[in-house]
Amino acid sequence: MTFSIAARCPRTGQLGVGALTARPAVGKLVAHVHSGGGAVATQATPNPFLAYDGLPLLGEGRSPQDVLAELLARDPGREVRQVGMVDRQGRSHAFTGSLTKDWAGHRIGPGYAVQGNRLVGPETLTEIVRVFGGSRELDLAERLVLAIEAGEETGGDRDGARSATVTVIGDQPYPLWDVRVDDAEHPALELRRLHGVFQEEVLPTIQWLPTRDDPMGEAARQALETQGGHRTLSDVVNQGATTVADDAL
């Protein structure tokens, strides 16, 4: 793996992970986010249980430092692991095993944990932190894309780049953003392109989905209200400046 950032937006409370690597499918392997718990990035030699076991513990109110200490203590492969963790309060912690590939290290601060291995040097993480910290007025998804672009511009992974991801969750169990580049020659550029597509064509659909407080959802409400006119769900959601499938969605 290469570099990632787990983060929380203090303005919206959104949680997310952004990552880039020289292998395919970084979104599948690295990024884990839960609205009631936090955000976890597990890499180097990934251990998904650091996220699957850690996120419920974060949801109980335990700190990332305590959670990582417990989980790593019972992980026999911890010295080849790397993990960053942020909870819903913005507390953060990270770990870099002693046997991860150089250059490897991490940076933590309020609302973020940045980690990388097999990098050209520490400047990659320094630049990610600088760009992320200097873009607080933007939405979290945009900040994560900027952070990935900044990390790659420093040289990033010594073996190049092949996949990238940004995942963001708000106050619902399903992701608000889930943009993945699983295999591309220039994954950061493709991530930027797909971010724009997602923002224009997918995000409005997600914002009209059912929520815990609104089990019908705006799209279904308008579809039912206009049923007599034989309008499809696609027609309704298109009014929100997006494109979705029709009733078969």
Side-chain angles (χ1 to χ4, degrees):
M1 296 301 154
T2 178
F3 62 79
S4 66
I5 173 171
R8 176 186 181 271
C9 173
R11 179 170 50 86
T12 64
Q14 293 175 359
L15 295 152
V17 173
L20 181 144
T21 188
R23 295 177 57 189
V26 68
K28 164 65 177 175
L29 296 169
V30 169
H32 305 270
V33 189
H34 189 277
S35 59
V40 177
T42 172
Q43 57 192 56
T45 306
N47 179 358
F49 290 105
L50 294 175
Y52 285 108
D53 293 343
L55 287 168
L57 296 176
L58 292 177
E60 295 173 2
R62 296 180 57 183
S63 72
Q65 184 172 3
D66 289 344
V67 169
L68 273 182
E70 177 179 325
L71 297 181
L72 290 168
R74 60 181 192 235
D75 181 358
R78 58 186 172 272
E79 295 307 327
V80 292
R81 313 275 192 222
Q82 193 170 46
V83 58
M85 185 176 287
V86 176
D87 70 4
R88 64 181 185 270
Q89 301 177 49
R91 297 177 296 181
S92 63
H93 199 61
F95 170 82
T96 299
S98 63
L99 300 179
T100 52
K101 293 183 179 180
D102 286 335
W103 188 88
H106 57 263
R107 305 282 187 271
I108 61 172
Y112 70 84
V114 178
Q115 42 284 323
N117 65 87
R118 202 175 57 194
L119 299 180
V120 294
E123 61 268 26
T124 298
L125 303 189
T126 299
E127 186 66 5
I128 291 171
V129 171
R130 185 190 70 80
V131 169
F132 184 75
S135 57
R136 294 181 180 89
E137 75 284 1
L138 301 176
D139 289 340
L140 182 58
E142 173 70 16
R143 297 177 71 191
L144 294 176
V145 173
L146 287 170
I148 290 170
E149 291 172 334
E152 188 180 41
E153 287 174 3
T154 67
D157 193 310
R158 290 187 289 106
D159 293 339
R162 190 170 171 186
S163 67
T165 190
V166 162
T167 301
V168 172
I169 203 162
D171 57 359
Q172 300 301 313
Y174 48 78
L176 186 61
W177 291 79
D178 190 0
V179 186
R180 298 187 183 189
V181 179
D182 284 335
D183 189 9
E185 185 175 356
H186 301 290
L189 288 176
E190 181 64 3
L191 186 71
R192 168 59 67 184
R193 185 187 73 82
L194 290 176
H195 173 271
V197 172
F198 198 100
Q199 187 169 39
E200 291 296 321
E201 299 187 33
V202 183
L203 185 61
T205 303
I206 294 172
Q207 292 171 330
W208 280 24
L209 290 174
T211 68
R212 293 300 191 197
D213 294 332
D214 180 12
M216 178 176 289
E218 186 61 24
R221 181 175 297 106
Q222 293 203 25
L224 289 170
E225 289 175 354
T226 59
Q227 187 176 24
H230 304 290
R231 302 180 71 205
T232 67
L233 179 58
S234 180
D235 294 330
V236 172
V237 179
N238 276 334
Q239 290 185 335
T242 187
T243 302
V244 296
D246 59 15
D247 299 81
L249 182 67

